[in-house]
Amino acid sequence: MTLAKTRSVGLVGVDGYVVDVEAAITSGVPGLHLVGLPDTALNESRDRVRAAIFNSGEEWPNRHVTISLFPASVPKRGSTFDIAIATAILAAAGAIPPRSCAGLVLIGELGLDGRLRAIPGVLPAVLAAANAGCRTVVVPHPNTAEARLVPDIEVIPAASLRSLLSLLRGDPPPPEDEQEPPPAEAPARPPDRRDTLDLADVRGQAEARRALEISAAGGHHLFYSGPPGCGKTMLAERLPTLMPPLAPEAALEVTAIHSVAGTLPPGQPLITRPPFQAPHHTSTRASMVGGGSGRVLQPGAVTLAHRGILFMDEAPEFDRGTLEALRQPLEEGEVRISRAERATSFPARFTLVLAANPCPCAAAKQIDCSCAPAVRRRYLERISGPLLDRIDLKLDLSPATRAELRYDLEVAEPSRVVADRVLLARERAVKRLAETPWRANSEIPGPELRRHFLPSAEAMRTADDALQNGTLSVRGLDRVLRVAWTLADLAERDTPTADDVGGALALWTCRKT
């Protein structure tokens, strides 16, 4: 019996784990047998690998070949094991030295012609390999830039199985096949509409613009209610222009999520801007929080918006179950999905922005509304009280007056000016929270907030009265305290004052503008 071993990486959600790929060639009925709970796509790799080996000019061992994927008790899925399986088989057959591939981590899908094809999820796979102590990975050539985002690991790009075998044998690279088409270049990215947005485009709504600044500075959830045309969507779409670029660690985390989901922008291996997700109101619960069937669990919109913004326009039009599914990620910053075959967690720490019309008819003026009071009440009650309780800032907007529009032509601030204030406020919060695992006011848990970050008794008097008379819940008190700290950071104060707490309370109880 001849035996060879190499490694690959499997993914569960956005987390990876190293898989030992062992090949044994024994006497018996010729064929290839996979063990280790492979799924359908992985079982089909037998035909892909066989054709790729033949078309790379190598001999297929005409004996019984067993491929073991360890740990054997963990289900494996996908085509990312193709190159590792092919290399292990050829090493066991003596076509390459077995020691040459023993320390490598091989990730990639094989085409029938032997070329390596780009795959999703390379970044979390390489991160998992690095965390497991591996130091060299082989990836398809189109995934090279993404894999090299991981520090302290050697990345070997491979265009084909033939070129990889030449490298392992110590031979010069094979000449390019003239009949082989060159790898397709990444399509040019269309202009990003977000690059042209600016807060100065919004006329009027000074209070709403101020709430947007507070949301960006502290990562607070926001709810706009008002008639059509008052600027709810315009304001929400400009929130990303106020937020600073992602920190390096957060950028890697966000990029890994979009790599797994296959939504990484072409030609952009690293996402440095906070993501912005705006799902349609017909979105299902699974598309919102993530899910799938069997072994395939995909992240949803709340995970794709991790470290960014989730904007839900026409919020009452969403299915009630879809809205209620947001309650856990809003509190815990992650989504846990359980299925019969496996369970996984997806990160989901995002800023939620809701927008809603006051009634189903969406009349521009209240005098033109044809809805009965009971209809208006039932419409807004589609957003439940427990969900609204988790929203930090609530504003009831009115259409801008002619005087406001004229005044704002001269004094409306552009996004870059507001973004500078937001950045300074965030830096103050990071400095204050330096000895803690949190980096924004919205991330501080309630018990820690009340234990270590409680303002003075005089400053808390307004909130205490609201808590006493029942207009403020305990969860709402935590939200008010977080916003009060953000108001203090924006005003460059070391601790919230009574005005900060009172302003935060007014925003939590839905201020009318």
Side-chain angles (χ1 to χ4, degrees), residues 281 283 285 315-327 378-387:
H281 63 260
S283 299
R285 188 182 313 185
E317 299 293 340
F318 281 81
D319 180 75
R320 181 68 177 263
T322 302
L323 289 172
E324 294 304 302
L326 298 175
R327 287 159 60 174
R378 284 197 301 269
Y379 183 73
L380 290 179
E381 284 177 352
R382 295 181 184 179
I383 307 175
S384 68
L387 180 58

Side-chain angles (χ1 to χ4, degrees), residues 303-322:
T303 299
L304 296 177
H306 181 62
R307 303 292 182 185
I309 300 104
L310 176 65
F311 174 46
M312 300 178 68
D313 202 3
E314 308 295 345
E317 299 293 340
F318 281 81
D319 180 75
R320 181 68 177 263
T322 302

Side-chain angles (χ1 to χ4, degrees), residues 183-202:
E185 296 183 358
R189 292 180 59 202
D192 192 345
R193 177 173 170 268
R194 287 166 53 188
D195 294 335
T196 63
L197 300 180
D198 196 282
L199 191 59
D201 300 335
V202 182

Side-chain angles (χ1 to χ4, degrees), residues 363-370 376:
K365 296 181 180 179
Q366 186 171 358
I367 194 173
D368 298 327
C369 177
S370 59
R376 295 167 62 92

Side-chain angles (χ1 to χ4, degrees), residues 402-425:
R402 186 179 303 176
E404 288 176 327
L405 295 176
R406 187 182 301 114
Y407 178 72
D408 272 0
L409 286 173
E410 301 176 359
V411 301
E413 292 181 313
S415 291
R416 56 180 175 79
V417 174
V418 181
D420 289 341
R421 292 200 298 266
V422 168
L423 181 60
L424 291 175

Side-chain angles (χ1 to χ4, degrees), residues 130-481:
N131 293 334
C134 305
R135 288 293 168 259
T136 306
V137 297
V138 177
V139 299
H141 197 277
N143 295 119
T144 305
E146 182 183 345
R148 284 179 174 162
L149 295 173
V150 182
D152 302 325
I153 194 165
E154 181 186 1
V155 177
I156 300 176
S160 64
L161 177 60
R162 184 185 292 111
S163 63
L164 175 61
L165 296 177
S166 298
L167 176 67
L168 297 179
R169 290 168 178 154
D171 297 338
E176 292 292 331
D177 188 349
E178 295 182 358
Q179 298 180 352
E180 185 175 286
E185 296 183 358
R189 292 180 59 202
D192 192 345
R193 177 173 170 268
R194 287 166 53 188
D195 294 335
T196 63
L197 300 180
D198 196 282
L199 191 59
D201 300 335
V202 182
R203 302 301 183 187
Q205 307 298 355
E207 287 287 336
R209 294 205 305 265
R210 173 64 173 170
L212 208 67
E213 179 180 348
I214 297 169
S215 175
H220 303 293
H221 308 306
L222 181 60
F223 175 45
Y224 286 137
S225 175
C230 65
K232 304 185 296 294
T233 302
M234 285 187 68
L235 286 161
E237 289 178 339
R238 282 149 182 80
L239 179 56
T241 67
L242 308 183
M243 301 179 72
L246 296 172
E249 183 179 347
L252 275 179
E253 192 177 8
V254 171
T255 303
I257 291 170
H258 286 262
S259 176
V260 168
T263 58
L264 203 60
Q268 184 182 352
L270 182 66
I271 296 177
T272 57
R273 299 172 59 182
F276 182 84
Q277 294 290 316
H280 193 260
H281 63 260
T282 57
S283 299
T284 63
R285 188 182 313 185
S287 70
M288 186 65 65
V289 299
S293 59
R295 304 177 184 181
V296 182
L297 297 179
Q298 289 292 327
V302 298
T303 299
L304 296 177
H306 181 62
R307 303 292 182 185
I309 300 104
L310 176 65
F311 174 46
M312 300 178 68
D313 202 3
E314 308 295 345
E317 299 293 340
F318 281 81
D319 180 75
R320 181 68 177 263
T322 302
L323 289 172
E324 294 304 302
L326 298 175
R327 287 159 60 174
Q328 180 204 349
L330 286 177
E331 285 293 321
E332 301 180 6
E334 68 174 7
V335 175
R336 291 188 294 273
I337 300 175
S338 299
R339 295 293 184 267
E341 293 190 3
R342 67 175 48 185
T344 189
S345 296
F346 291 112
R349 191 168 294 282
F350 56 91
T351 299
L352 176 64
V353 181
L354 301 177
N357 293 319
C359 64
C361 76
K365 296 181 180 179
Q366 186 171 358
I367 194 173
D368 298 327
C369 177
S370 59
C371 300
V375 173
R376 295 167 62 92
R377 185 177 63 254
R378 284 197 301 269
Y379 183 73
L380 290 179
E381 284 177 352
R382 295 181 184 179
I383 307 175
S384 68
L387 180 58
L388 284 176
D389 205 32
R390 291 167 167 83
I391 305 298
D392 308 303
L393 312 170
K394 311 180 191 73
L395 278 86
D396 190 357
L397 307 185
S398 301
T401 64
R402 186 179 303 176
E404 288 176 327
L405 295 176
R406 187 182 301 114
Y407 178 72
D408 272 0
L409 286 173
E410 301 176 359
V411 301
E413 292 181 313
S415 291
R416 56 180 175 79
V417 174
V418 181
D420 289 341
R421 292 200 298 266
V422 168
L423 181 60
L424 291 175
R426 287 202 169 216
E427 289 175 349
R428 289 180 65 88
V430 168
K431 184 178 180 180
R432 183 175 62 252
L433 301 172
E435 303 299 325
T436 71
W438 314 296
R439 291 296 175 265
N441 293 324
S442 60
E443 299 176 7
I444 307 174
E448 292 295 324
L449 192 68
R450 295 187 294 272
R451 187 179 298 117
H452 300 295
F453 299 97
L454 193 66
S456 65
E458 182 180 354
M460 287 293 296
R461 186 173 302 164
T462 305
D464 290 340
D465 292 343
L467 192 64
Q468 182 68 26
N469 60 33
T471 58
L472 179 66
S473 65
V474 176
R475 183 187 291 118
L477 176 62
D478 294 340
R479 302 284 174 181
V480 168
L481 290 178

